[in-house]
DNA sequence: TATTGTTATACTCTATAACTATA
DNA sequence: TATAGTTATAGAGTATAACAATA
């Protein structure tokens, strides 16, 4: 059992890394003329192909109204279009333009490059150790959330 | 050397954990009636004691104007006050109220509780392994940032 | 009646620029 | 002249609520 201050040190180091990672990714997206939210939408679209906006709302965990705003901005940038849904005239299929295709391919290359830069040098032993840590911490975080949700704070 | 897809899997698992961690913290703050930005300001204030707003702007890496807005909101909530600076009549010292003191103490307890829940069960060996991983990845991220900043994307 | 996406409105966070009061 | 903090203005992201068109 680690002491509380040791645990807090670890948490703070993790949060520092999270901030660095976020800054790095945000800066990379900014160089491509994208905000985080718009890039996230494009990413989900890249995973799914043309989909109606409600699918993106669910994937991004935002309201349909917020999706409208993001898609409007991406249409204005020429990255996606709203195409008619073949069987549901209420819905629009958000679809990449050629420019959008090029950009999502770049995003995927950047994602690979970042992942490789960070993790390719890991040894098999390090990977095993880290994956164990990740599994343990994820499980503990889930348990912690269950506890705090059940016991309302004072 | 790990393969690219293995690296991407690790990155995605890390990012999933980051999202979970962020959701947990955001939810905890919401239960206390705080947004992330306001809580971050209170946290920095708790580390420093009464300080002028420019110190908070530097700590939070936001503009002085943005600090004005956050402090306005915290004053309206009765958590801080603007007190006159003893030697510089241009500046205001942002200072906790009694309510604010109580709240920052709660934030500190929550921080400890989260840190302990996540990391207290780690063994000495796991801690050593994880700290090595953290050091390595942080260094690689710094190197990666230096490279991408030097070579502008196509 | 339920669903898809919109218009209308509002709040939070952030930024730049111009300005006041003070140093 | 420089600094601390403000007003003014703007943009991005998000939310709820009311509504249109369609299912």
């Amino acid at each position: 059992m680690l002491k509380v201050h040791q645990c807090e040190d670890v948490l703070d180091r993790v949060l520092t890394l999270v901030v660095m990672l976020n800054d790095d990714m945000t800066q990379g997206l900014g160089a491509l003329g994208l905000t985080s939210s718009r890039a996230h939408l494009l990413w989900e679209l890249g995973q799914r192909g043309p989909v109606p906006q409600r699918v993106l709302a669910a994937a991004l965990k935002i309201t349909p109204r917020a999706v409208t705003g993001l898609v409007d901005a991406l249409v204005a940038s020429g990255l996606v279009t709203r195409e008619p849904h073949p069987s549901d005239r209420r819905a629009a299929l958000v679809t990449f333009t050629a420019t959008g295709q090029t950009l999502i391919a770049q995003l995927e290359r950047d994602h690979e490059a970042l992942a490789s830069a960070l993790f390719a040098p890991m040894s098999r032993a390090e990977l095993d150790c880290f994956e164990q840590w990740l599994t343990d911490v994820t499980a503990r975080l889930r348990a912690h959330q269950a506890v705090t949700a059940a016991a309302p704070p004072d």
Side-chain angles (χ1 to χ4, degrees), chain A:
Chain A
M1 287 291 275
L2 301 188
K3 290 177 184 166
V4 173
H5 73 88
Q6 290 177 304
C7 296
E8 289 194 273
D9 285 349
V10 174
L11 179 56
D12 289 345
R13 290 187 66 186
V14 170
L15 293 177
T16 300
L17 181 61
V18 168
V19 169
M20 285 180 63
L21 198 51
N22 189 55
D23 286 351
D24 181 87
M25 295 195 298
T26 302
Q27 182 191 322
L29 295 175
L32 297 173
L34 289 174
T35 64
S36 297
S37 295
R38 292 172 195 177
H40 194 178
L41 190 150
L42 291 180
W43 186 266
E44 296 295 339
L45 191 60
Q47 309 284 300
R48 285 154 224 267
V51 286
Q53 293 183 191
R54 79 187 141 72
V55 173
L56 296 170
L60 300 172
K61 292 177 185 163
I62 59 179
T63 61
R65 179 62 186 89
V67 174
T68 298
L70 295 175
V71 172
D72 283 352
L74 292 168
V75 168
S77 309
L79 299 174
V80 303
T81 56
R82 287 184 173 97
E83 300 298 327
H85 190 292
S87 64
D88 185 342
R89 285 192 300 175
R90 294 171 304 179
L93 287 179
V94 182
T95 309
F96 283 119
T97 62
T99 310
Q101 292 264 6
T102 305
L103 193 59
I104 190 67
Q106 182 64 50
L107 288 182
E108 281 163 3
R109 280 196 298 275
D110 289 350
H111 185 263
E112 285 180 16
L114 177 61
S116 293
L118 294 182
F119 305 123
M122 281 203 292
S123 69
R124 194 88 196 104
E126 279 175 313
L127 177 62
D128 289 344
C129 167
F130 176 67
E131 294 208 315
Q132 182 62 49
W133 179 89
L134 203 52
T135 301
D136 289 349
V137 171
T138 301
R140 286 183 211 132
L141 180 52
R142 258 189 254 282
H144 178 260
Q145 283 178 325
V147 167
T148 53
D154 26 274

